[in-house]
Amino acid sequence: MLQGKKIILGISGSIAAYKSAFLTRLLIKAGAEVQVLMTPSAQDFITPLTLSTLSKRPVYSEVSSETGWNNHVELGLWADAMLIAPVTATTLAKLANGLCDNILVAAYLSARCPVFFAPAMDLDMWHHPATRHNVERLISYGNQLIPVGVGELASGLSGEGRMAEPEDIVAYLERFFAQKQDLAGKKILLTAGPTYEPIDPVRFIGNRSSGKMGIALADAAARRGAEVTLILGPSKLTPQEKAVKLIKVETAQEMHDAAVQLFPQMNAAILAAAVADYRPKTVATEKIKKKGEELQLDLIKNPDIAADLGKMKQAGQLLIGFALETNDEESNAQGKLEKKNFDCIVLNSLRDAGAGFNHDTNKISILFRNNKKRDFELKSKNAVAEDILQAMIDLFNV
Ligand code: PMT
C-alpha cells in the first residue's frame, strides 16, 4: 500500500527509538523508500548502522559530515511524507518553534509534503501545558498527530505517552495514502466549537467546547474530496486541510446567520457546535462593576440553528446533529432527532470517560430515523469523524 512512496523517517532520542528498527522494516516491507534522519541523541538509543542496514540507505544525523553536505532542502522536496517517530518533548519544542539545530528539524522546515508525528514521552511530560501547546502548534501548521498509546512507560509509570506501535503507524500512513475520494462533488457545511455570548466588554457566557470534533470532521471530509465550509466559534484550533473554507464567528446569532445563508447550496450539514441556548438580554457597554451580593442577568433565547436548518431542508439534503447529554442519553437524543428534523444524530455522553469536550477521543452512538442505532467504541476524534462520514455516505446512497 506504500509502494513507491518516499518517506523521511525522523528519529529523536527516546527509549521508543528502539521501535524505529521495526518501523523501518515495516515501511520497507510495505514498499516504501525510507530515508532515516536521526537527532544526535537518537544515536544513544539505536545505531545508524542498524537503520542504514534495514533502510538500505545511508542514515544522516548531521547537516554536514566528513562525506560532505547532506542537503536537507533536497530531502524535504524528495519526500512524499515525513514521519517523525518517536518525537520527544525537546524535538517537539524545536519543531514548534523552528529551532533548526539538527538535520531532522532542517528537513522538517524544508518539507513540502504531509508531516506525521508520533510522540513518545513520560505521562507528566505529555500532559504538561508546554507539551500540549507545542502539539497544538504542530497541528495548527497542518501536521498530523499520530495519537500516543496508553500503557506502561519506561519510567515505570502507567498512562498516556507511549509511542504508537509501528504497525499502527504504518496503518495510519497507509490509510492516508489510500484515501478514498468518496465525497468528491459534495458540498458539506459544518459548525464547530463553542459560542461566546457577551455580557459586557470583558465577560461572556461560553462553554467548554474546543472545536476538536467539528474540525476533525471538516478535515476528514476535505480529505475525502468534499468542498467543506466550516463555521467555527471561538476556538484556538484551526483545520489542517488547506481546502477547508473557514468562517470564524463568536456568537450563536453570527453562527446562525452564516449557516442559514449557506445551507441552501449544501448537500449536507453536520452540526457539531456547542451553541449557547440563551444570551444576555442586554450587553453592557462598560465593564459591569462589583456592587451588591447578587447580580441578576436576564437571558433571552438564541436562535436554534439546527431547528431552522431542519425547517429549510429540501429533498436530497442531509442534516446531521449532535447531542451532548449527561443523563437519559438515548431518549433525549431521540427527541432532538425528531424535533430538529435531523437525518441522524450523533450522541456523546459526558458520563463516558474520554468522551465529549476537549478530549482527543470520543465515544459515540449514531441514532437513525428508522430507530436503528450504531454504537462505537472510544476512538480518536479523527477516527470518530471517519465513522460519522461513513454513516452520512450510507444515507446519501439510500
Ligand atoms: O468541541 P469539542 O471539545 O471537540 O467537543 C465536541 C462536542 C462535545 C461539543 C460535540 O461532540 C457535541 O456534542 N456537540 C453538540 C453539543 C451540543 O450543544 O449539543 P445539544 O444537545 O445542546 O444540541 C443538539 C444539536 O443542536 C447540536 O447539533 C447543536 O449543534 C445544535 N444546536 C443547539 C442549540 C442551538 N441554539 N443551535 C444548534 O444548532
Side-chain angles (χ1 to χ4, degrees), residues 191 193 208-214 271-277 302-306 321-325 336 340 342 348 356-359 362 381:
T191 66
R208 297 177 200 282
S209 170
S210 62
K212 283 179 189 174
M213 189 64 252
L271 308 179
V275 186
D277 287 323
N302 265 330
D304 189 323
I305 305 165
F322 271 73
L324 177 66
E325 304 296 339
K336 288 174 187 173
K340 303 195 187 207
F342 290 140
N348 43 189
F357 289 135
N358 201 27
H359 299 288
N362 206 359
K381 280 187 174 161

Side-chain angles (χ1 to χ4, degrees), residues 64-110:
S64 59
S65 63
E66 285 152 16
T67 51
W69 162 255
N70 298 319
N71 194 330
H72 55 86
V73 178
E74 259 176 31
L75 277 175
L77 299 180
W78 168 84
D80 295 312
M82 180 168 188
L83 165 65
I84 311 173
V87 60
T88 58
T90 304
T91 295
L92 200 59
K94 288 184 184 180
L95 298 172
N97 290 288
L99 189 60
C100 189
D101 67 349
N102 63 47
I103 191 160
L104 192 161
V105 184
Y108 167 77
L109 294 177
S110 310

Side-chain angles (χ1 to χ4, degrees), residues 46-210:
I46 185 161
T47 69
L49 182 61
T50 306
L51 294 162
S52 67
T53 308
L54 290 168
S55 64
K56 303 181 183 72
R57 297 173 76 98
V59 166
Y60 301 131
S61 52
E62 305 287 346
V63 176
S64 59
S65 63
E66 285 152 16
T67 51
W69 162 255
N70 298 319
N71 194 330
H72 55 86
V73 178
E74 259 176 31
L75 277 175
L77 299 180
W78 168 84
D80 295 312
M82 180 168 188
L83 165 65
I84 311 173
V87 60
T88 58
T90 304
T91 295
L92 200 59
K94 288 184 184 180
L95 298 172
N97 290 288
L99 189 60
C100 189
D101 67 349
N102 63 47
I103 191 160
L104 192 161
V105 184
Y108 167 77
L109 294 177
S110 310
R112 294 198 191 154
C113 57
V115 177
F116 303 82
F117 63 106
M121 64 195 76
D122 201 40
L123 171 73
D124 296 313
M125 293 169 81
W126 175 243
H127 286 291
H128 194 281
T131 307
R132 309 306 317 148
H133 182 67
N134 289 332
V135 167
E136 275 170 19
R137 277 177 74 181
L138 288 202
I139 290 172
S140 76
Y141 303 156
N143 306 154
Q144 298 197 35
L145 168 68
I146 301 182
V148 292
V150 181
E152 212 175 293
L153 300 163
S155 61
L157 293 173
S158 185
E160 280 185 319
R162 283 169 68 91
M163 186 177 90
E165 292 307 322
E167 292 82 357
D168 295 336
I169 295 176
V170 173
Y172 198 98
L173 289 184
E174 285 181 336
R175 270 202 306 278
F176 176 82
F177 283 113
Q179 193 65 66
K180 293 173 272 179
Q181 293 290 297
D182 48 7
L183 284 173
K186 294 276 190 255
K187 292 185 179 164
I188 313 286
L189 179 67
L190 278 138
T191 66
T195 62
Y196 285 179
E197 310 300 326
I199 297 170
D200 68 14
V202 296
R203 303 178 181 96
F204 59 84
I205 297 174
N207 61 63
R208 297 177 200 282
S209 170
S210 62

